[in-house]
Amino acid sequence: MIITRTPFRISFFGGGTDYPGWYTQHGGEVLSTTIDKYCYITCRHLPPFFEHKHRVVYSAIENVKHWDEIKHPSVRAVLGWSKCDKGMEIHHDGDLPARSGLGSSSSFTVGLLHALAALKGSYVSKEQLSKDALHIEQNVIGEAVGSQDQIAAAYGGFNRIEFKRSGNFSVSPVILKKQRQKDFQKHLMLCFTGISRIAAEVAKSKIANLNKRETELKAMQGMVDEATQILQSPTRPIEEFGDLLHESWQHKRALSDKVATPEVDQIYEAARDAGAIGGKVLGAGGGGFMLFFVRPEHQTRVRERLSKLIHVPFGFDESGSRVMLYQPNGL
């Protein structure tokens, strides 16, 4: 039996420039961190004593005789791509709900790929894990998704991820002094709107507008460098990061009319009115989790104003996808 633990991520700046349709022409860059909320995948070979060959347990339970009968798109794609001929039992558990803007689908794919590699006794690097997950989601499944979530989930940590016109990428850790990082984390609030959405549907509308939104996307990409400078500067007030988030959100909501709904706008304005400096909808948009940058002394007021939402305390994750239990013989 193998158990992998793969983190979810929060993207601060540059989202939208991680779509291949954009960065293969212009390059792209994002600033993101993984957090201490995880996707767990339990995987083992299923003994041949059942009518079914594969068992997959997530929000549904599937018992099938062949992998191509599996309805879960990532499981079906990964098992088919890996030419898995042995029976498999796969269980998924997550700390936070799916379809919520934290890259949960990619964390699932990365975690499953990692688990299958471990089950075969193979080591897979963070780079290869990222590339395999990108191939599965973008080419095998054919989803309209960007490229940052898979890399963040595999690598973990607080990083600048650069997407090159060649299609390659590079990952550079953002190094902060401990006190600055603590201060930064204290200003972040994560809230769940309760609105779930299928990210690929929102993403399709954004992809269709990429060429029409060159000004916004280039501005959002430039904010990665500006945000990094703010955090690493010994003199610049950290509140400038929140101001930049607010500016970025104005650009992001212009990418598609599906990014910001009336409900999202109402929540955002209520948070700002209560003291939030800036914020954004995480992921493609349309709902899910919202991130706010709030001075610690104003957070109680923001929490009270958004009392109908679920507030989720969190810390940063440093590890990326990990094998937590390695018992390939099931002993």
Side-chain angles (χ1 to χ4, degrees), residues 188-301:
L188 300 175
M189 293 182 69
L190 186 64
C191 299
F192 183 52
T193 65
I195 306 167
S196 293
R197 78 289 176 274
I198 299 176
E201 294 180 357
V202 181
K204 283 180 183 177
S205 66
K206 289 164 66 176
I207 291 171
N209 290 332
L210 286 180
N211 292 329
K212 301 176 184 177
R213 298 300 180 198
E214 186 171 330
T215 300
E216 289 88 349
L217 286 165
K218 286 186 174 179
M220 292 165 70
Q221 185 172 332
M223 289 177 181
V224 172
D225 190 52
E226 178 70 10
T228 305
Q229 289 181 27
I230 291 170
L231 292 177
Q232 293 181 332
S233 169
T235 59
R236 296 180 69 172
I238 201 163
E239 287 79 11
E240 290 184 16
F241 191 96
D243 293 329
L244 200 63
L245 266 181
H246 177 66
E247 184 182 346
S248 177
W249 171 239
Q250 305 312 310
H251 288 305
K252 179 174 179 175
R253 64 194 311 281
L255 296 180
S256 164
D257 58 7
K258 295 182 182 296
V259 171
T261 64
E263 293 86 355
V264 165
D265 283 337
Q266 186 176 16
I267 293 168
Y268 188 81
E269 290 307 317
R272 288 262 294 172
D273 186 59
I277 299 172
K280 61 178 294 189
V281 171
L282 294 171
F289 278 91
M290 295 185 72
L291 178 75
F292 296 105
F293 196 91
V294 190
R295 292 182 178 92
E297 61 268 26
H298 294 161
Q299 291 187 9
T300 298
R301 191 167 61 194

Side-chain angles (χ1 to χ4, degrees), residues 9 13 44 52 76 78 92 94 161 176 189 196 266 277 305:
R9 67 95 187 96
F13 295 101
R44 70 170 185 142
H52 55 271
R76 184 178 65 249
V78 169
H92 164 257
I161 306 172
L176 301 180
M189 293 182 69
S196 293
Q266 186 176 16
I277 299 172
R305 187 68 178 271

Side-chain angles (χ1 to χ4, degrees), residues 46-311:
L46 190 65
F49 305 121
F50 308 96
E51 289 186 5
H52 55 271
K53 184 173 183 179
H54 303 294
R55 178 175 172 84
V56 186
V57 180
Y58 50 110
S59 56
I61 299 176
E62 298 191 55
N63 297 317
V64 302
K65 294 183 178 180
H66 194 274
W67 61 262
D68 64 6
E69 299 171 11
I70 296 172
K71 294 179 181 179
H72 192 293
S74 181
V75 178
R76 184 178 65 249
V78 169
L79 292 187
W81 170 80
S82 64
K83 297 180 171 59
C84 184
D85 57 354
K86 294 183 178 179
M88 299 296 304
E89 183 169 22
I90 297 165
H91 286 247
H92 164 257
D93 296 283
D95 288 337
L96 298 173
R99 298 179 179 177
S100 57
L102 298 174
S104 57
S105 296
S106 295
S107 294
F108 182 102
T109 302
V110 168
L112 180 55
L113 285 165
H114 206 172
L116 287 181
L119 199 59
K120 294 177 181 178
S122 300
Y123 167 78
V124 57
S125 68
K126 294 177 183 294
E127 180 181 7
Q128 192 59 50
L129 201 52
S130 302
K131 290 180 177 180
D132 290 345
L134 284 166
H135 174 69
I136 290 294
E137 294 190 357
Q138 295 178 351
N139 301 324
V140 180
I141 302 175
E143 289 186 332
V145 294
S147 300
Q148 64 167 309
D149 295 354
Q150 305 83 349
I151 299 167
Y155 279 81
F158 186 20
N159 300 308
R160 292 176 64 155
I161 306 172
E162 181 183 356
F163 301 95
K164 305 179 188 299
R165 290 182 177 85
S166 64
N168 293 325
F169 62 86
S170 62
V171 180
S172 304
V174 177
I175 308 300
L176 301 180
K177 291 185 177 181
K178 285 187 177 181
Q179 188 54 49
R180 187 68 161 178
Q181 182 165 321
K182 287 180 181 178
D183 194 24
F184 177 46
Q185 289 191 52
K186 286 180 181 178
H187 280 74
L188 300 175
M189 293 182 69
L190 186 64
C191 299
F192 183 52
T193 65
I195 306 167
S196 293
R197 78 289 176 274
I198 299 176
E201 294 180 357
V202 181
K204 283 180 183 177
S205 66
K206 289 164 66 176
I207 291 171
N209 290 332
L210 286 180
N211 292 329
K212 301 176 184 177
R213 298 300 180 198
E214 186 171 330
T215 300
E216 289 88 349
L217 286 165
K218 286 186 174 179
M220 292 165 70
Q221 185 172 332
M223 289 177 181
V224 172
D225 190 52
E226 178 70 10
T228 305
Q229 289 181 27
I230 291 170
L231 292 177
Q232 293 181 332
S233 169
T235 59
R236 296 180 69 172
I238 201 163
E239 287 79 11
E240 290 184 16
F241 191 96
D243 293 329
L244 200 63
L245 266 181
H246 177 66
E247 184 182 346
S248 177
W249 171 239
Q250 305 312 310
H251 288 305
K252 179 174 179 175
R253 64 194 311 281
L255 296 180
S256 164
D257 58 7
K258 295 182 182 296
V259 171
T261 64
E263 293 86 355
V264 165
D265 283 337
Q266 186 176 16
I267 293 168
Y268 188 81
E269 290 307 317
R272 288 262 294 172
D273 186 59
I277 299 172
K280 61 178 294 189
V281 171
L282 294 171
F289 278 91
M290 295 185 72
L291 178 75
F292 296 105
F293 196 91
V294 190
R295 292 182 178 92
E297 61 268 26
H298 294 161
Q299 291 187 9
T300 298
R301 191 167 61 194
V302 172
R303 194 177 292 110
E304 289 172 351
R305 187 68 178 271
L306 303 181
S307 59
K308 294 183 179 180
L309 306 187
I310 299 174
H311 173 65

